[in-house]
Amino acid sequence: MALEGDYAQEKTSWVSDQLAKIDETGTTAAVDVAGSKVVLFTYRGPKSGKLHRRPLMRVEHDGAYAAVASLAGAPQNPVWFTAMLRNDEVQVQDGTSVVTGPVREIHGAERDQWWERAVAAYPAYAEYQEKTDRLIPIVLVEPGRA
């Protein structure tokens, strides 16, 4: 089921440009980051109730999608990380396909396995981890899982 409601205004120009291109073409294939594919995560802001859209690197396995909270190796987590986890379900657009599923942060061996997939999909994640003392969190969206 698609999420419905008003969308929050995107404040970052390059993200706004990516969203406009996705909206114009109807597919996430219209944008990339350094040649790597992206998917579009949509979640509801816990304070505003508005929908937020975040294009992030495509890290997918068996229909599940990882959102890597790297913030390019900054010392803090991105704002979307906490906001996304306050949702029961998150929507993911991959190409023209749109799925919705429950969201959770992953830890331990499960996180380690997804971290390997993330670095394979976007090698810069390894550099980002070296730049920060925090363990970069990973959020998993699992369509079809109750």
Side-chain angles (χ1 to χ4, degrees):
M1 175 192 324
L3 297 177
E4 295 180 1
D6 293 331
Y7 287 93
Q9 179 70 34
E10 177 53 51
K11 296 174 184 144
T12 308
S13 63
W14 67 270
V15 174
S16 183
D17 291 347
Q18 284 187 333
L19 293 173
K21 189 85 162 182
I22 292 168
D23 291 344
E24 176 186 318
T25 62
T27 179
T28 59
V31 297
D32 65 66
V33 173
S36 294
K37 295 179 181 182
V38 301
V39 294
L40 182 60
F41 289 83
T42 303
Y43 60 93
R44 192 168 307 281
K47 293 179 183 174
S48 69
K50 292 186 176 186
L51 296 175
H52 292 260
R53 301 185 308 160
R54 185 66 42 208
L56 298 171
M57 305 317 299
R58 184 184 188 277
V59 182
E60 182 274 341
H61 182 75
D62 288 343
Y65 292 88
V68 180
S70 69
L71 198 57
Q76 72 281 354
N77 291 328
V79 172
W80 64 256
F81 169 72
T82 303
M84 193 181 290
L85 285 173
R86 290 186 177 154
N87 284 249
D88 292 329
E89 291 191 320
V90 170
Q91 181 177 291
V92 181
Q93 180 179 344
D94 183 0
T96 58
S97 175
V98 178
V99 295
T100 303
V103 60
R104 64 187 175 91
E105 184 178 2
I106 56 176
H107 304 279
E110 183 180 31
R111 185 213 170 270
D112 294 344
Q113 187 174 42
W114 277 94
W115 180 254
E116 288 180 21
R117 293 173 182 145
V119 171
Y122 188 62
Y125 282 141
E127 297 168 28
Y128 298 164
Q129 184 60 73
E130 290 177 12
K131 288 172 53 177
T132 185
D133 291 333
R134 69 184 171 93
L135 181 65
I136 294 175
I138 300 176
V139 172
L140 200 61
V141 177
E142 300 171 286
R145 184 175 175 175

